[in-house]
Amino acid sequence: MTASTAEPASKVELPASVGGGGEIPTFDVTLRVRRYNPEVSDESHWDEFKLTMYGTDRVLDALHKVKWELDGSLSFRRSCAHGVCGSDAMRINGRNRLACKTLLKDLDTSKPITVEPIKGLPVEKDLIVDMEPFFQSYREIMPFLVTTGHAPTKERLQSPEDRERFDDTTKCILCAACTSSCPVFWTDGQYFGPAAIVNAHRFIFDSRDDAGDMRLEILNDKEGVWRCRTIFNCSEACPRGIQVTKAISEVKQAVLARQF
Amino acid sequence: MSTTPDIRFPRSTSETGRVSPKYTRHGSGAKGGFEMAAWLFMRLSGIVLVVLIFGHLFVNLMVGHGVHAIDFGFVAGKWANPFWQWWDLAMLWLAMLHGANGVRTIINDYADRDSLRFWLLVVLYAAATAIIILGTLVIFTFDPCPVINGVHTGADFCPKP
Ligand code: HEM
Ligand code: SF4
Ligand code: FES
């Protein structure tokens, strides 16, 4: 028996050309996070954290590092960490994005990276906002299939062309990045908001659905599609790349077409 | 021993139920038709305004002696012609209604206090109404050579008594 302990049998020797985890470059970033804790103070303030992060890290990883290693009281939502659940929309360097889809290396790391809660919804703590008003508007446009007549015994078939008509708006993950990027929504929170219209669009243009007229009626409201000023903030914010402004104008046209 | 703070849940809406009243829509539905008409009007009046405004600019600034010809007599001459009276009337009404409605939407978009919004709208509507009425009166009652108390007070080109 030799005194030296053998390497674990499972270790795979990689040639230097392939590269290993250690080769990922690291860099220092400063994270400026908007903090709010109603149990301590009614005022929010900025906290700065200096972190050493990897080139493969995202803003979400930086927030994790803060929460797990520096300040456990930092509060934010995240679930899937892979851009699917829509829970970690936040305002990063002044733009709405998902923390889990924003690589640190794509941001300007020479300056502090600011992270704030999305605007226009009541902040509950740190980066967590009350999403209830957002979901209320979503519920109002009836985001479910409504049909008339007898239910078929088989699945409801649809041609690829008919499916294509509303494909873009099926991709929404209800992150609220769009609605909370809209200045019209910021003002008084009365506007239905882009996300509700996107999800109405998904059913209005679905050939299998029969309640399109009802949804158009709901959105032909004082606070409905006509409040849209075609600012395009929503299209820019959407992490799923949905052409939100285009969907809204298609709904506007459908409301008009119904009248004449 | 420390006392546990009184923590209510969820905090932002704990006073009022699930959705804070700021977000519940009041008077929904009723005025949607008006907003749709306003949206359509902005686009249709915009198209007509392109013709009216550029026609106006062309005739005033380019034709004949162009901008150097503009004086009291030039305006008086134009308003002696019903064609230009109606042209200017259409331009006045469309631009004022279009502009006032545009400012109305801006006020609705950016004034966040109800009282501020109300007073801004009052000022806007009062100003727009005054300008439309005054403008209409001027276009149709304009007299370059008025006789006031028997005194001729018009411009040089007016017939002398
Ligand atoms: C030259 C022809 C014109 C065209 C084609 C035009 C077109 C438009 C359109 C389509 C809108 C609606 C924008 C929206 O709803 O998002 C608009 C808004 C507006 N227009 Fe005009 N317009 C013209 C002339 C004028 C004039 C002469 C005035 C001033 C008297 C004016 C004042 C406004 C204002 C204040 C707004 C609101 C701005 C906004 O909603 O962002 N426009 N215009
Ligand atoms: S449309 Fe895009 S930005 Fe808006 S809620 Fe859906 S996924 Fe988020
Ligand atoms: S954590 Fe699920 S979308 Fe970012």
Side-chain angles (χ1 to χ4, degrees), chain A residues 120 187 190 221 227 229, chain B residues 11 22-23 25 29 108-109:
Chain A
T187 305
Q190 293 280 303
D221 183 285
R227 285 214 76 177
R229 311 240 66 76
Chain B
R11 289 171 198 90
K22 176 176 182 276
Y23 293 91
R25 274 179 278 281
N108 284 340
D109 286 353

Side-chain angles (χ1 to χ4, degrees), chain B residues 11-69:
Chain B
R11 289 171 198 90
S12 61
T13 52
S14 53
E15 311 293 336
T16 50
R18 263 158 78 74
V19 178
S20 110
K22 176 176 182 276
Y23 293 91
T24 49
R25 274 179 278 281
H26 14 253
S28 267
K31 276 167 83 180
F34 175 75
E35 293 301 331
M36 182 183 70
W39 186 90
L40 249 188
F41 171 76
M42 288 308 269
R43 274 127 194 99
L44 297 178
S45 61
I47 296 169
V48 181
L49 277 168
V50 169
V51 177
L52 290 176
I53 291 174
F54 286 99
H56 168 84
L57 291 175
F58 180 72
V59 168
N60 280 22
L61 309 180
M62 315 280 283
V63 175
H65 295 285
V67 64
H68 305 291

Side-chain angles (χ1 to χ4, degrees), chain B residues 77-160:
Chain B
K78 265 184 103 183
W79 279 347
N81 182 345
F83 175 80
W84 288 114
Q85 281 186 318
W86 286 101
W87 183 290
D88 283 4
L89 184 80
M91 205 162 60
L92 171 75
W93 277 70
L94 286 180
M96 284 310 298
L97 293 176
H98 176 103
N101 187 54
V103 176
R104 179 187 72 95
T105 51
I106 293 174
I107 291 173
N108 284 340
D109 286 353
Y110 290 101
D112 49 2
R113 277 183 295 123
D114 280 350
S115 57
L116 176 71
R117 178 181 315 178
F118 174 80
W119 286 110
L120 286 175
L121 288 174
V122 168
V123 171
L124 171 70
Y125 294 151
T129 314
I131 293 171
I132 290 178
I133 292 176
L134 277 179
T136 307
L137 277 176
V138 168
I139 291 173
F140 284 113
T141 62
F142 181 73
D143 179 1
C145 305
V147 181
I148 300 166
N149 295 332
V151 183
H152 295 263
T153 55
D156 312 340
F157 54 78
C158 289
K160 294 285 175 284

Side-chain angles (χ1 to χ4, degrees), chain A:
Chain A
M1 283 289 280
T2 53
S4 68
T5 20
E7 293 275 11
S10 62
K11 177 148 195 292
V12 181
E13 289 292 348
L14 290 175
S17 60
V18 173
E23 276 184 20
I24 300 168
T26 63
F27 47 79
D28 291 332
V29 294
T30 307
L31 207 62
R32 284 192 88 211
V33 188
R34 194 79 179 151
R35 303 294 303 270
Y36 171 69
N37 183 351
E39 286 163 26
V40 175
S41 162
D42 284 341
E43 298 292 316
S44 51
H45 65 275
W46 293 99
D47 264 357
E48 286 204 355
F49 302 98
K50 298 224 183 309
L51 308 163
T52 301
M53 303 300 299
Y54 289 103
T56 46
D57 280 339
R58 306 152 299 168
V59 172
L60 182 66
D61 299 304
L63 291 169
H64 278 154
K65 200 174 172 78
V66 171
K67 186 170 179 69
W68 293 339
E69 295 172 19
L70 298 172
D71 181 350
S73 71
L74 178 68
S75 305
F76 55 90
R77 283 196 187 99
R78 74 101 173 81
S79 180
C80 69
H82 291 83
V84 183
C85 70
S87 47
D88 63 343
M90 47 190 81
R91 209 167 137 87
I92 298 166
N93 279 355
R95 285 181 54 193
N96 283 2
R97 326 179 205 220
L98 296 179
C100 64
K101 278 186 83 170
T102 308
L103 284 168
L104 289 167
K105 71 173 179 64
D106 293 342
L107 302 170
D108 180 0
T109 47
S110 66
K111 285 187 285 184
I113 294 163
T114 60
V115 182
E116 301 160 79
I118 46 177
K119 277 179 74 159
L121 290 162
V123 182
E124 301 205 312
K125 191 181 177 211
D126 295 345
L127 303 173
I128 297 179
V129 300
D130 180 5
M131 295 281 280
E132 207 47 45
F134 172 81
F135 287 125
Q136 182 59 37
S137 293
Y138 172 62
R139 282 191 287 268
E140 275 175 44
I141 56 91
M142 306 189 295
F144 38 80
L145 187 78
V146 180
T147 58
T148 51
H150 296 292
T153 50
K154 291 186 291 186
E155 72 181 293
R156 296 173 196 273
L157 292 177
Q158 185 170 49
S159 71
E161 295 74 37
D162 284 348
R163 176 62 177 71
E164 183 58 30
R165 180 68 193 84
F166 60 95
D167 186 64
D168 202 31
T169 46
T170 61
K171 296 172 185 162
C172 177
I173 55 174
L174 294 172
C175 65
C178 54
T179 295
S180 63
S181 74
C182 177
V184 175
F185 182 76
W186 294 338
T187 305
D188 56 8
Q190 293 280 303
Y191 176 35
F192 270 83
I197 301 172
V198 159
N199 287 280
H201 179 285
R202 184 250 169 273
F203 287 99
I204 290 166
F205 294 97
D206 185 337
S207 60
R208 298 164 297 187
D209 187 272
D210 292 322
D213 271 351
M214 274 162 83
R215 295 193 187 87
L216 293 173
E217 191 57 49
I218 292 166
L219 289 174
N220 183 17
D221 183 285
K222 185 164 146 283
E223 307 296 344
V225 286
W226 309 116
R227 285 214 76 177
C228 167
R229 311 240 66 76
T230 330
I231 293 163
F232 280 96
N233 276 16
C234 49
S235 301
E236 233 169 79
C238 180
R240 307 303 319 273
I242 299 172
Q243 297 194 34
V244 182
T245 312
K246 181 169 176 235
I248 297 174
S249 52
E250 284 176 1
V251 174
K252 280 179 188 163
Q253 280 167 32
V255 177
L256 277 175
R258 228 174 120 253
Q259 310 287 322
F260 301 105

